[in-house]
Amino acid sequence: VVLLKIDEVLDVLVSVDKDGVVLLHEIRRGRFVMKIQVGLGREEAVSNLDIHENGLILVGTNENRVVIYSLNG
């Protein structure tokens, strides 16, 4: 795990590893929700992770790219 974010209001913990694997868990139940694979280029690495209040997960890379996922799938 290289980055971790928690949003208590949305009841979600989001982590991302060096290979771009994003894992979502419910905080209160400690339950795994989903796995997302961010497609990274050869020299690309995850550099930022955020959870927006409207339920979006934003993953930024060192190549100035932002990938956006919804908590709703």
Side-chain angles (χ1 to χ4, degrees):
V1 173
V2 294
L3 294 168
L4 178 74
K5 286 287 184 171
I6 296 173
D7 188 308
E8 293 179 18
V9 173
L10 294 174
D11 187 34
V12 67
L13 178 147
V14 181
S15 65
V16 62
D17 70 9
K18 67 179 179 59
D19 298 319
V21 176
V22 178
L23 298 179
L24 281 67
H25 292 83
E26 287 181 348
I27 298 170
R28 292 180 193 94
R29 294 183 186 174
R31 186 177 72 95
F32 170 77
V33 177
M34 80 171 76
K35 173 182 173 182
I36 302 167
Q37 177 66 56
V38 177
L40 297 175
R42 177 174 276 180
E43 299 296 321
E44 195 171 20
V46 174
S47 60
N48 197 359
L49 176 65
D50 206 355
I51 304 168
H52 191 273
E53 63 188 26
N54 67 1
L56 297 177
I57 301 165
L58 297 93
V59 181
T61 75
N62 64 329
E63 293 187 359
N64 298 318
R65 188 167 66 103
V66 176
V67 183
I68 302 171
Y69 298 97
S70 172
L71 289 174
N72 297 324

